[in-house]
Amino acid sequence: MASDGLRFKEIEHKFVVDATFDLSAFRRAVEALGPIRTTSIDVEDRYFLTEGGRQRRFLMRHRYDTELHHLTIKALEADTEVRGEVNLDLGHHAGDQVAQVDAFMDRLGVLWRGSIAKALEVWYFPDCEVVYYQASTPTRSVRCVEFEARRKDSLADALATVERFERATGFSSAARSQLSLPQILFPDLAEALAAPLA
C-alpha cells in the first residue's frame, strides 16, 4: 500500500557490514519480530546506463529469478533513502528473455553495463522488508543489510517503520550508505555518469 505520491518511490536504508558482522545474532533478532514469510535466493541483477539515463540520472535493471522477472528504472539520487523506482513485470511465461532485454536496451543507447550476483536472505513483514545479502562482481564484493518500507501511507510513516526495524535489530546508531549498490561495486559507473554529455 502506498499513497499516490509514493507509489513509484523506494524508501529504504542500506548498511554496509564487514566480515565481523554477527549474522547469526541478526537472524535471531529479525526472526523474533515474527516475519510473515522468509526466503533465501540467489539472483543476478544486470544494470544498464543509457544515454537518457545519464541525462536524467537513472539506471535500468533486469532481474530474472524464481520469484521475479522485472525490468526496472532506478533513479540515481544523492541519497538512496527515497528514490524513484518503476518495475515492469515481464512475467515468467517466456523465460529469462536475456536476448530480448539486451536488444531492447541496446536500442536505447547503452553507455555502461554491469552484472551483480547476490545471495539474499529476506524477511517479509506487512510493513517492512528486511534483507541481508552478499553482492559481488568479478572484482569486488560487499555485504549489506537493507530495511525497505512496504507500507507507504506517508513518507514520515515509512521512515518511522524503517527506523523501528533498525532499532529492533541493532542498527539505529549505525552509519548507512547513501550510494546505490552499483555505485558501491562499480567505480567506472561514476566515470560514465560524469562523462560530458554529447
Side-chain angles (χ1 to χ4, degrees):
M1 185 73 67
S3 72
D4 285 346
L6 297 175
R7 182 176 176 197
F8 298 117
K9 296 287 186 184
E10 179 182 56
I11 302 168
E12 73 172 21
H13 286 173
K14 176 192 291 93
F15 298 88
V16 175
V17 297
D18 62 22
T20 65
F21 177 64
D22 191 341
L23 181 55
S24 295
F26 178 73
R27 286 179 178 133
R28 288 192 299 272
V30 179
E31 288 290 340
L33 299 173
I36 55 175
R37 184 169 72 94
T38 62
T39 189
S40 295
I41 190 168
D42 293 336
V43 303
E44 181 182 10
D45 288 339
R46 300 182 324 119
Y47 289 91
F48 305 86
L49 176 66
T50 63
E51 294 168 6
R54 184 175 66 180
Q55 291 176 336
R56 300 189 66 196
R57 306 292 294 175
F58 66 82
L59 291 175
M60 301 286 292
R61 181 188 71 192
H62 178 226
R63 174 181 286 181
Y64 177 81
D65 60 42
T66 57
E67 295 183 3
L68 300 174
H69 189 193
H70 284 172
L71 187 61
T72 303
I73 289 179
K74 294 181 81 71
L76 291 165
E77 307 285 355
D79 185 349
T80 58
E81 181 177 61
V82 180
R83 63 178 172 163
E85 179 179 277
V86 181
N87 290 300
L88 294 179
D89 188 348
L90 302 182
H92 284 86
H93 62 283
D96 195 351
Q97 300 184 65
V98 169
Q100 293 91 329
V101 170
D102 283 347
F104 180 90
M105 296 306 304
D106 287 341
R107 291 286 181 153
L108 297 176
V110 174
L111 302 174
W112 173 93
R113 65 184 77 213
S115 293
I116 299 175
K118 294 166 78 173
L120 301 116
E121 295 181 47
V122 188
W123 295 265
Y124 297 94
F125 298 86
D127 53 352
C128 192
E129 187 175 295
V130 179
V131 184
Y132 167 80
Y133 60 82
Q134 295 183 56
S136 60
T137 70
T139 59
R140 293 174 178 262
S141 65
V142 68
R143 301 169 194 225
C144 297
V145 171
E146 291 182 0
F147 303 89
E148 181 179 348
R150 296 182 71 193
R151 184 175 296 140
K152 298 177 279 190
D153 299 322
S154 72
L155 179 57
D157 287 347
L159 289 173
T161 295
V162 167
E163 290 161 5
R164 181 167 42 88
F165 279 84
E166 289 170 359
R167 281 192 306 276
T169 56
F171 277 88
S172 58
S173 61
R176 66 180 176 82
S177 173
Q178 296 184 347
L179 296 175
S180 69
L181 188 59
Q183 289 170 301
I184 292 170
L185 288 173
F186 294 108
D188 59 323
L189 176 58
E191 295 168 18
L193 286 165
L197 297 172

